[in-house]
């Protein structure tokens, strides 16, 4: 029974399709093929994995070795047109990096102290040891520089000359550093000063003045001629300006918003070194420093003999004339006291780097209302912001510091200053532009597919179902008209009250028609007719029985 229903349904569908005509069938087939192709293309675009770069700026030899290792590990890398970039699906990046690291790829561009691990020492002379030491030092410095933010690659060249034999002067060392910054983030002067300090501190007897810093374009960021104020002062000025800028911007952003304030700080530093020595004496602070007591004693004697000879002048010899001689003795004493006057001595050294003058410029955006109208900030608001900037920057009027706060309308697309490492919305869009484009393309394809394909197809199907329903309804109406004489009362011959009168049809409510296929009926029958017949049988079984008998006995 079920197979017969299925076969009749298929036959009805085939007949309906034949009724559409050859031209309509060709159009429907072409539409179905186009929709299928568009669906497959959209799905392929949407299901394409998101590729991310695994290695960039690789040489041809390194790319060849890495592709070979990745293919051995079961990956299918995609190579760029110039052969310098390898890409893989995002979920395979971590495993691919581990596989390349296990194979020792990509090769480290800067060899460090591992050079001495690879040498056995046999046959190594002093010249080769010096060369390896120089290479290792350059490689380690380059690796350290590459850890700095915004630095992609670095090369370091050191010149460490040795003192010649019998020479009293040692030649000075020098260094050159080439830094390739990341795209969109150029290397600023403060970072170049930090690199210079790093190199000079790591190499013995290397002065910062002899370190040259160049960028990837070949322009000198710092050179030997660029030492007008000293490396330390430039670094200190940059640090002071950045610290004060952050202080002022953070306290103002709490009121106006981080995107509505711009701050610039200029610091003028003292470049001179001053040594001040002061010494003062207090006469009231007399302290005895030393006391000296001196006592002198003397004794003389003269003999009676007036003759002058040697015996009379020899001491300790009595020549018999002493009794008649004359003797004298004398004693003297004195005290000497030295006094020290109290004194105070102070020495003060002023190193370069003291702040001589600060200049702070602040620009704040105005106020935008809900209607999109711009209103500058009031004078009271500007005064409060100026007072906050004074306190945050430590402004001193005695030094002649100056703070300027103004309210101006910001240009469209202006971005707040500060660190760009964290990445903003623009960086995220730029990194994922390919995946975003593929997703948008897939959405557009699916939308066009639904609008131009599925919608007309549904209209055609609804039209076919409506035509089939009209045909079934016409058949059901014809059958009802043939059965009308039997739907009368058997005793009076009058139409039964429960039988609907075809001349006065009852009011019906339009609704979605539902069709039912019956094996003994050609075509489909609307369900509401079957429901009406069921209700008629339940309300008046006897009349329904007579009506059915009349249908059975009806000829034709």
């Amino acid at each position: 029974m079920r197979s017969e229903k299925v076969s009749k349904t298929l036959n009805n569908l085939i007949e309906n399709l034949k009724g559409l005509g050859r031209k309509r069938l060709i159009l429907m087939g072409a539409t179905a093929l186009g929709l299928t192709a568009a669906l497959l293309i959209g799905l392929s675009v949407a299901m394409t994995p998101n590729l991310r770069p695994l290695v960039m700026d690789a040489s041809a030899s390194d790319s060849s070795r890495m592709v070979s290792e990745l293919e051995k590990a079961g990956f299918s890398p995609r190579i760029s047109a110039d052969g310098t970039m390898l890409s893989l699906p995002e979920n395979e990046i971590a495993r691919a990096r581990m596989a390349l690291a296990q194979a020792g790829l990509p090769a480290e561009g800067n060899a460090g102290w591992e050079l001495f691990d690879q040498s056995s020492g046999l046959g190594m002379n002093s010249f080769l040891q010096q060369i390896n030491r120089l290479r290792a030092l350059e490689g380690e410095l380059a690796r350290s520089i590459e850890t700095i933010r915004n630095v992609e690659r670095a090369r370091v060249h050191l010149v460490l000359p040795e003192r010649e034999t019998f020479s009293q002067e040692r030649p000075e060392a020098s260094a050159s550093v080439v830094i390739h910054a990341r795209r969109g983030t150029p290397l600023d002067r403060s970072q170049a000063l930090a690199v210079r300090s790093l190199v000079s501190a790591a190499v013995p007897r290397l002065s910062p003045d002899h370190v040259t810093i160049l960028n990837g374009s070949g322009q000198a960021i710092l050179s030997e001629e660029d030492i007008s104020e000293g490396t330390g002062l430039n670094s200190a000025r940059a640090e002071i300006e950045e610290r004060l800028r952050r202080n002022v911007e953070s306290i103002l952003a709490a009121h106006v918003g981080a995107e509505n304030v711009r701050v610039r700080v200029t610091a003028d530093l003292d470049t001179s070194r001053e040594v001040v020595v002061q010494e003062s004496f207090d006469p009231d602070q007399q302290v005895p420093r030393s006391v000296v007591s001196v006592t002198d004693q003397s004794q003389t004697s003269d003999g009676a003999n007036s003759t002058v000879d040697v015996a009379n002048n020899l001491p300790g010899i009595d020549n018999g004339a002493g009794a008649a001689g004359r003797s004298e003795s004398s004693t003297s004493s004195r005290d000497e006291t030295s006094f020290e006057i109290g004194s105070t001595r102070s020495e003060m050294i002023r190193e370069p780097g003291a702040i001589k003058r600060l200049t702070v410029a602040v620009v704040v955006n105005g106020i935008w209302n809900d209607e999109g109208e711009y209103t500058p900030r009031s004078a009271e608001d500007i005064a409060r912001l100026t007072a906050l900037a004074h306190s945050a920057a430590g402004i001193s009027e005695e030094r002649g510091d100056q703070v300027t706060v103004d309210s101006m309308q910001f240009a469209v697309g202006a971005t707040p200053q500060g660190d760009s490492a964290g990445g903003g919305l623009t960086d995220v869009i730029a990194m994922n532009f390919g995946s975003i484009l593929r997703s948008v393309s897939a959405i557009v394809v699916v939308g066009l597919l639904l609008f131009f394909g599925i919608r007309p197809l549904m209209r055609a199907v609804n039209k076919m179902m409506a035509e089939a329903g009209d045909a079934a309804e016409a058949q059901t109406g014809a059958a009802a008209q043939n059965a009308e004489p039997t739907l009368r009362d058997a005793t009076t011959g009058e139409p039964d009250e429960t039988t609907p009168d075809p001349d006065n049809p009852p009011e019906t409510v339009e609704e979605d028609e539902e069709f039912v296929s019956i094996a003994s009926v050609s075509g489909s029958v609307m369900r509401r007719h079957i429901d009406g017949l069921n209700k008629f049988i339940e309300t008046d079984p006897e009349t329904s029985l007579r009506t059915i008998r009349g249908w059975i006995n009806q000829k034709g």
Side-chain angles (χ1 to χ4, degrees):
M1 187 69 180
R2 186 174 181 180
S3 61
E4 294 179 358
K5 290 182 179 180
V6 174
S7 61
K8 287 187 177 181
T9 304
L10 293 176
N11 292 331
N12 293 333
L13 180 61
I14 293 173
E15 292 296 333
N16 292 329
L17 291 176
K18 289 181 178 180
L20 294 176
R22 183 177 181 181
K23 185 182 293 185
R24 292 183 178 179
L25 289 176
I26 294 174
L27 291 176
M28 288 182 63
T31 303
L33 292 176
L35 293 177
T36 303
L39 182 61
L40 293 176
I41 294 174
L43 291 177
S44 62
V45 172
M47 297 178 65
T48 300
N50 187 17
L51 296 178
R52 297 294 297 272
L54 175 63
V55 179
M56 300 179 64
D57 298 332
S59 61
S61 59
D62 290 341
S63 298
S64 176
R65 290 196 297 268
M66 285 187 286
V67 169
S68 178
E69 291 294 336
L70 290 175
E71 290 179 349
K72 290 180 181 178
F75 299 98
S76 299
R78 181 174 296 180
I79 308 173
S80 61
D82 55 357
T84 60
M85 184 175 68
L86 303 181
S87 301
L88 281 174
E90 189 173 5
N91 57 349
E92 298 180 357
I93 292 292
R95 294 189 297 111
R97 286 177 177 172
M98 293 172 61
L100 291 178
Q102 185 178 4
L105 295 172
E108 293 290 342
N110 301 312
W113 296 114
E114 64 271 11
L115 287 173
F116 293 96
D117 298 335
Q118 300 174 0
S119 60
S120 61
L122 296 177
M124 181 70 66
N125 53 26
S126 60
F127 176 76
L128 293 179
Q129 289 180 352
Q130 291 294 334
I131 293 298
N132 285 343
R133 176 178 176 273
L134 184 63
R135 290 180 56 195
L137 189 57
E138 291 177 349
E140 293 295 333
L141 285 174
R143 291 179 181 178
S144 300
I145 295 172
E146 289 175 356
T147 59
I148 300 176
R149 190 191 62 204
N150 301 339
V151 176
E152 183 177 359
R153 288 182 293 111
R155 289 291 303 272
V156 179
H157 301 277
L158 298 177
V159 178
L160 305 178
E162 296 183 356
R163 185 170 60 183
E164 297 180 359
T165 308
F166 305 112
S167 176
Q168 297 181 356
E169 296 181 357
R170 180 185 294 272
E172 296 183 353
S174 61
S176 300
V177 182
V178 181
I179 298 177
H180 295 267
R182 299 186 185 277
R183 184 178 302 176
T185 55
L187 192 72
D188 55 12
R189 186 179 179 84
S190 61
Q191 291 177 320
L193 292 172
V195 171
R196 167 179 279 179
S197 301
L198 172 65
V199 175
S200 62
V203 179
R205 297 183 299 276
L206 176 59
S207 173
D209 301 349
H210 296 161
V211 179
T212 303
I213 309 295
L214 292 85
N215 58 13
S217 302
Q219 300 177 353
I221 304 176
L222 293 176
S223 60
E224 294 186 8
E225 293 78 10
D226 191 15
I227 315 294
S228 58
E229 298 182 6
T231 304
L233 288 180
N234 292 330
S235 179
R237 182 194 297 110
E239 182 180 356
I240 291 173
E241 292 176 350
E242 181 64 20
R243 176 172 52 84
L244 294 178
R245 184 194 66 80
R246 288 197 302 264
N247 292 344
V248 176
E249 186 176 8
S250 61
I251 195 170
L252 297 184
H255 177 66
V256 301
E259 68 280 359
N260 293 323
V261 60
R262 305 289 185 273
V263 180
R264 284 285 184 262
V265 179
T266 302
D268 187 9
L269 303 184
D270 189 2
T271 59
S272 61
R273 186 178 184 271
E274 184 178 2
V275 179
V276 180
V277 179
Q278 295 180 351
E279 186 174 3
S280 61
F281 298 90
D282 189 1
D284 296 333
Q285 296 180 355
Q286 294 183 1
V287 179
R289 183 177 180 180
S290 62
V291 178
V292 179
S293 297
V294 179
T295 303
D296 295 335
Q297 293 183 355
S298 62
Q299 185 177 1
T300 60
S301 60
D302 293 335
N305 191 3
S306 59
T307 59
V308 179
D309 54 7
V310 175
N312 290 333
N313 291 303
L314 290 175
I317 299 176
D318 189 6
N319 55 5
R326 184 181 59 179
S327 64
E328 294 180 359
S329 64
S330 63
T331 303
S332 64
S333 63
R334 66 180 185 275
D335 295 333
E336 295 182 358
T337 303
S338 299
F339 293 90
E340 187 73 22
I341 299 176
S343 62
T344 303
R345 187 177 187 274
S346 62
E347 182 176 351
M348 182 176 58
I349 301 176
R350 295 177 181 175
E351 296 291 345
I355 298 177
K356 294 174 58 178
R357 186 171 180 268
L358 287 178
T359 303
V360 181
V362 181
V363 179
V364 293
N365 198 4
I367 302 174
W368 296 85
N369 55 16
D370 297 336
E371 288 77 14
E373 298 178 355
Y374 174 80
T375 304
R377 296 186 181 272
S378 61
E380 297 179 356
D381 199 3
I382 294 297
R384 289 196 297 268
L385 295 177
T386 304
L388 291 175
H390 270 79
S391 301
I395 299 300
S396 175
E397 296 181 355
E398 297 179 356
R399 287 193 311 232
D401 298 347
Q402 184 179 1
V403 177
T404 304
V405 180
D406 199 357
S407 175
M408 302 179 66
Q409 182 178 354
F410 284 9
V412 178
T415 57
Q417 63 183 3
D419 296 339
S420 59
L425 181 60
T426 305
D427 296 336
V428 174
I429 294 176
M431 292 178 60
N432 302 277
F433 181 75
S435 59
I436 293 174
L437 182 61
R438 287 194 297 269
S439 301
V440 172
S441 302
I443 293 174
V444 171
V445 169
V446 173
L448 294 176
L449 179 65
L450 294 175
F451 186 79
F452 293 104
I454 304 299
R455 188 176 178 186
L457 184 60
M458 293 300 296
R459 287 180 178 177
V461 171
N462 291 333
K463 185 176 180 181
M464 292 170 55
M465 296 296 292
E467 292 177 355
D470 293 340
E473 186 177 1
Q475 294 178 3
T476 306
Q481 290 179 2
N482 294 330
E484 180 190 2
T486 63
L487 296 176
R488 295 178 180 273
D489 196 331
T491 57
T492 61
E494 298 292 333
D496 189 45
E497 295 178 357
T498 60
T499 304
D501 190 358
D503 296 333
N504 297 315
E507 295 181 357
T508 59
V509 180
E510 295 182 1
E511 59 181 2
D512 296 334
E513 300 292 345
E514 185 176 0
F515 299 91
V516 178
S517 298
I518 302 176
S520 60
V521 178
S522 178
S524 301
V525 181
M526 287 184 288
R527 182 177 292 278
R528 61 187 180 89
H529 293 295
I530 299 176
D531 295 338
L533 182 60
N534 292 333
K535 291 180 180 179
F536 178 69
I537 294 173
E538 292 176 359
T539 54
D540 194 353
E542 296 180 359
T543 305
S544 302
L545 183 59
R546 291 195 299 270
T547 302
I548 293 173
R549 288 177 180 175
W551 285 352
I552 295 173
N553 296 328
Q554 185 178 1
K555 295 181 180 180

